[in-house]
Amino acid sequence: VSVAFAGLTRAPMVRLVVTFRMKTRNGIQITVEAPEAYQLSCSAEGMLKKMSLPGGIPECQDDPLTLTLNQTIDHGMYTFAVGVTVPPIPVESSIFNLVIRDTEDQVVDAHYGIPGGPTSDLGLGSLATITTTSTEAGSRATVRIAVTWTENDGQVVTEQPDDGSEARTVVTAPQVK
């Protein structure tokens, strides 16, 4: 069970990817409980990705974030993504919960205390954009981040290896802690 997201404090809404193992049968409704300072959204344009969830696009409710599937889930691994806005100040850790209910609204599976990791401002004044070329499971993607530094000593260096392998970009933020 995991949750993963770009933990940049001044980022616009980014994707929270949830991966879990269903240990029982007949799950139809998935609720993600986030720490109070985090705002989850499945209704923001382009944020809900059903990835390996069965059936069509689930119905969604933002608060609390709940996906109602149109086909039940049984034993197995599942992944989906929704939007998340992280707190405006850095935090050391975050804990999420995942609750799965059946058609009778009974809890059939749950995962509590899922670590979400720290957030950081990286010394950035603002984060203008985060874009990606793909969000499909197993596909290769290019992620672009446009930033504005709070000070003038940040540096972006792109290295192109002579062996023809992919370019590597190194970002040095001012006063990274």
Side-chain angles (χ1 to χ4, degrees), residues 27-46:
I28 196 80
Q29 188 178 75
I30 302 167
T31 300
V32 180
E33 299 170 349
E36 189 174 314
Y38 292 72
Q39 184 172 355
L40 301 179
S41 176
C42 53
S43 65
E45 186 175 343

Side-chain angles (χ1 to χ4, degrees), residues 149-161:
W149 302 107
T150 55
E151 299 178 21
N152 293 327
D153 56 354
Q155 185 178 27
V156 178
V157 177
T158 301
E159 302 168 355
Q160 179 64 53

Side-chain angles (χ1 to χ4, degrees), residues 102-117:
D102 64 12
T103 56
E104 304 298 319
D105 204 33
Q106 299 298 308
V107 174
V108 293
D109 205 347
H111 303 275
Y112 295 98
I114 306 165

Side-chain angles (χ1 to χ4, degrees), residues 3 6 13 15 35 38 45 47 65 86 89 94 96 111 113 116 121 123 140 156 169:
V3 296
M13 185 174 288
R15 281 205 178 86
Y38 292 72
E45 186 175 343
M47 284 294 138
L65 188 120
V86 300
I89 57 172
S94 53
F96 293 79
H111 303 275
D121 66 7
R140 187 179 188 112
V156 178
T169 301

Side-chain angles (χ1 to χ4, degrees), residues 61-74:
Q61 172 186 319
D62 283 339
D63 192 18
L65 188 120
T66 303
L67 302 179
T68 302
L69 309 176
N70 46 41
Q71 183 177 331
T72 60
I73 54 177
D74 293 320

